[in-house]
Amino acid sequence: MSRMHPTGDWLRHGGNYFEPRVVEETWSRGWRVRFWTTPLEMTCEELFQAGFVIERLLEPRPSPAGAAINAAAYDRLHREPSGFLAIRARPGS
């Protein structure tokens, strides 16, 4: 599964990081997006309660070729958790 990085959500929207809430944003091309923002702890606990075990958690960063496309964004995405998380989970035994 993937989800927005919860720290990135908190950096953009402020407030209480540990308080789940609905956020609305307008993304590129005018896309209106509505989603829940929750702490990472809650995401992990929900997976656990559903019977899953997290095998791997990644915080993807852009490839080096991205620096030539947008150097400022490339640099920011290597310093700030503003992108997505990727989580691989499997049913627990």
Side-chain angles (χ1 to χ4, degrees), residues 32-54:
R32 295 190 51 83
V33 181
R34 185 178 194 179
F35 60 94
W36 281 92
T37 179
T38 59
L40 182 57
E41 173 183 70
M42 184 179 226
T43 299
C44 294
E45 181 63 19
E46 288 172 345
L47 285 168
F48 175 75
Q49 291 297 322
F52 289 92
V53 174
I54 295 174

Side-chain angles (χ1 to χ4, degrees), residues 12-91:
R12 283 193 316 283
H13 299 287
N16 184 342
Y17 169 80
F18 295 102
E19 180 182 329
R21 65 187 189 270
V22 174
V23 171
E24 292 188 30
E25 293 181 333
T26 301
W27 290 4
S28 62
R29 300 181 184 175
W31 297 346
R32 295 190 51 83
V33 181
R34 185 178 194 179
F35 60 94
W36 281 92
T37 179
T38 59
L40 182 57
E41 173 183 70
M42 184 179 226
T43 299
C44 294
E45 181 63 19
E46 288 172 345
L47 285 168
F48 175 75
Q49 291 297 322
F52 289 92
V53 174
I54 295 174
E55 288 186 332
R56 193 166 186 194
L57 186 144
L58 298 174
E59 297 173 292
R61 293 165 196 71
S63 67
I69 297 168
N70 186 330
Y74 175 85
D75 182 55
R76 181 178 51 80
L77 289 170
H78 275 275
R79 292 181 289 108
E80 299 176 9
S82 56
F84 286 88
L85 287 178
I87 299 171
R88 183 171 65 200
R90 63 170 172 76

